[in-house]
């Protein structure tokens, strides 16, 4: 397991426990996803990963950009990442946090590989079937694999 993934899991677990206490599990998940999409932008990523820009400058930009738009919990987590120069683990935090939310809400994602795209009705039937098998609410993510001759592969 990579170091970033291990560190990301720790932050995600701590954030998840705090979100449960505040009853803001889904709200924080959505906020994390929106912030992560912002950090995908090359200019933003370059700014926060640039070694000659001080931590204070990064925190000032972060606070100005996000103040009033995100919960204090998410802002504080981002500040910790910046202060400890761990901005690169944000993606791992978001992914693991989402997994924790899914486990908490008894949800799972099924990746369904098929030779042609599934219809909405087919996706619903697959979700219902595997929901009964697993005892979880299943979300379907369909990926077309032209190498399959027929049938489907399901990974939950």
């Amino acid at each position: 397991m990579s170091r970033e993934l291990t560190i990301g899991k720790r932050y995600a677990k701590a954030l998840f426990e705090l979100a449960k206490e505040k009853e803001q599990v889904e709200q924080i998940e959505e906020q994390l996803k929106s912030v992560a999409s912002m950090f995908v932008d090359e200019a933003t990523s370059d700014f926060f990963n640039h070694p000659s820009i001080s931590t204070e400058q990064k925190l000032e930009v972060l606070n100005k950009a996000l103040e009033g738009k995100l919960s204090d919990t998410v802002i504080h987590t981002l500040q910790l990442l910046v202060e400890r120069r761990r901005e690169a683990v944000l993606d791992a935090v978001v992914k693991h946090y989402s997994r924790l939310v899914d486990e908490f809400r008894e949800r799972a994602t099924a990746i369904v590989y098929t030779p042609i795209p599934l219809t909405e009705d087919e996706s619903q039937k697959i979700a219902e079937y595997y929901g009964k098998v697993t005892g979880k609410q299943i979300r379907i993510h369909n990926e077309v694999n032209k190498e399959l001759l027929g049938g489907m592969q399901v990974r939950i």
Side-chain angles (χ1 to χ4, degrees):
M1 190 179 304
S2 75
R3 179 177 162 90
E4 283 183 1
L5 187 59
T6 303
I7 293 169
K9 281 185 174 185
R10 288 181 188 157
Y11 278 93
K13 188 172 182 178
L15 182 59
F16 180 74
E17 293 301 323
L18 191 57
K20 274 194 333 188
E21 284 179 22
K22 294 184 175 190
E23 298 179 358
Q24 297 178 331
V25 173
E26 278 84 10
Q27 177 188 1
I28 288 177
E29 179 182 25
E30 291 305 313
Q31 290 178 7
L32 279 175
K33 286 179 181 179
S34 67
V35 168
S37 67
M38 181 182 76
F39 273 80
V40 171
D41 176 60
E42 190 174 334
T44 305
S45 178
D46 288 347
F47 175 80
F48 281 98
N49 291 317
H50 200 285
S52 66
I53 298 175
S54 73
T55 301
E56 291 77 22
Q57 289 173 311
K58 292 176 185 179
L59 288 171
E60 184 178 329
V61 168
L62 182 74
N63 290 334
K64 283 183 182 178
L66 301 177
E67 188 175 15
K69 296 177 184 173
L70 301 176
S71 68
D72 291 341
T73 306
V74 174
I75 291 175
H76 182 68
T77 301
L78 294 172
Q79 289 170 340
L80 281 174
L81 292 173
V82 169
E83 287 171 1
R84 295 178 180 170
R85 300 188 180 271
R86 292 187 169 158
E87 299 93 339
V89 303
L90 179 60
D91 194 42
V93 171
V94 173
K95 286 179 183 177
H96 193 67
Y97 185 89
S98 291
R99 285 187 194 132
L100 291 171
V101 172
D102 285 347
E103 288 174 19
F104 181 69
R105 297 290 183 210
E106 294 184 349
R107 295 184 302 213
T109 300
I111 303 172
V112 181
Y113 300 94
T114 56
I116 58 173
L118 293 172
T119 65
E120 192 64 39
D121 187 48
E122 291 169 332
S123 292
Q124 185 178 353
K125 287 179 182 177
I126 292 168
E128 287 174 11
Y129 174 78
Y130 285 102
K132 290 177 186 174
V133 170
T134 62
K136 295 183 178 186
Q137 179 185 354
I138 302 293
R139 290 177 291 185
I140 300 294
H141 176 73
N142 182 219
E143 290 192 18
V144 176
N145 182 350
K146 299 285 185 187
E147 293 179 11
L148 291 175
L149 298 176
M152 65 181 176
Q153 288 180 332
V154 179
R155 290 190 179 157
I156 299 175

